Amino acid sequence: METPRKGPTGETIDTPRHRALGSDSRVTILRLVRGAAGGITAAEVAARTGQHLSTTRAHLDRLADSGLLVKARASGGQPGRPAWRYRAAAGDAAPAPAPYRALAAALLDHLTGAAGDVREAAAQAGQGWGRHLAAAAPQAGDPVDTVAGVLDGLGFSPQLQPTAAGATTAELHLRTCPFLELVGQNPDAMCGLHLGVVRGILEHDDAPADSVVLEPFGAPGACLLRLPARTPAPGGQP
């Protein structure tokens, strides 16, 4: 049984975070996750701690429920259903503009308990949102730049990564998540929504959208977004 923690004046501190940290095992796990910049799976934590996998999952989910961790799956690009990856929650991310947060929260409420593939349903809803955001954004000329501009306006702090000459795929690292607490409530729905937004932006610019991949924690300290790069026309002109 976990012992309630006491504050400096003797009062009992009884918050979800303090209760989650009432276990030495969870404290150890939290340190492991915080040291894994690209996120970590339950199987990886179990291997490093020697705990049974089911016990490890229970500890990780308790930390996620308390808001100390966030978890997500890769959104597309992999066969089967990817394992959950856990990452420490970042407390310094600026929130998204209020209208977008309200829209995301409403969608999350709508999808909670819905039948079928929640992630795909959220992605389909996000596509319409992405087309609307792209139509209101300054015309960048390059669909990748449009995606980066819209995501920057939402608070994702995207960083375009260098690519080799002739590469057909561009990579954006999303350094922050302005919807982080909503991701914690329903990772599949929120990551699916973000994937759909990117697809919608590309569709607005008549760019291919089906091959977009959003990989939560796919890069050190960031989520990884892969999308088609603009293909230069013959003669080197875009």
Side-chain angles (χ1 to χ4, degrees):
M1 181 176 179
E2 297 170 7
T3 302
R5 298 183 175 226
K6 299 290 185 179
T9 60
E11 77 279 12
T12 299
I13 301 175
D14 188 28
T15 68
R17 291 192 177 194
H18 280 90
R19 290 196 298 272
L21 294 176
S23 159
D24 290 340
S25 293
R26 284 195 290 274
V27 171
T28 298
I29 289 173
L30 181 61
R31 287 174 180 158
L32 280 176
V33 178
R34 283 177 170 170
I40 192 169
T41 66
E44 291 168 339
V45 172
R48 293 177 63 176
T49 61
Q51 291 180 337
H52 191 278
L53 181 57
S54 61
T55 301
T56 300
R57 286 193 182 116
H59 284 320
L60 286 165
D61 285 341
R62 178 74 178 272
L63 291 167
D65 290 343
S66 73
L68 289 163
L69 300 181
V70 290
K71 66 178 184 177
R73 305 183 198 268
S75 299
Q78 299 183 33
R81 195 161 182 78
W84 290 112
R85 294 191 71 81
Y86 296 80
R87 187 179 69 179
D92 55 355
Y100 302 140
R101 292 173 61 79
L103 178 61
L107 176 64
L108 187 63
D109 287 342
H110 174 72
L111 291 174
T112 300
D117 189 333
V118 170
R119 181 169 56 183
E120 187 54 35
Q124 291 177 9
Q127 284 178 238
W129 188 16
R131 288 190 293 269
H132 170 76
L133 292 173
Q139 296 302 305
D142 187 330
V144 174
D145 291 338
T146 303
V147 170
V150 171
L151 294 182
D152 188 51
L154 289 174
F156 284 93
S157 304
Q159 293 182 350
L160 182 62
Q161 302 304 298
T163 56
T168 59
T169 301
E171 289 191 0
L172 287 173
H173 287 184
L174 309 182
R175 309 299 303 183
T176 58
C177 181
F179 300 91
L180 196 59
E181 78 281 5
L182 296 177
V183 171
Q185 293 176 34
N186 193 326
D188 277 341
M190 290 307 300
C191 291
L193 177 67
H194 300 160
L195 175 66
V197 167
V198 175
R199 288 177 179 170
I201 297 168
L202 293 174
E203 288 172 353
H204 177 269
D205 284 0
D206 296 321
D210 291 343
S211 60
V212 175
V213 174
L214 174 60
E215 185 177 345
F217 323 146
C223 294
L224 176 61
L225 178 64
R226 294 190 181 94
L227 60 164
R230 194 175 189 188
T231 304
Q237 297 299 317

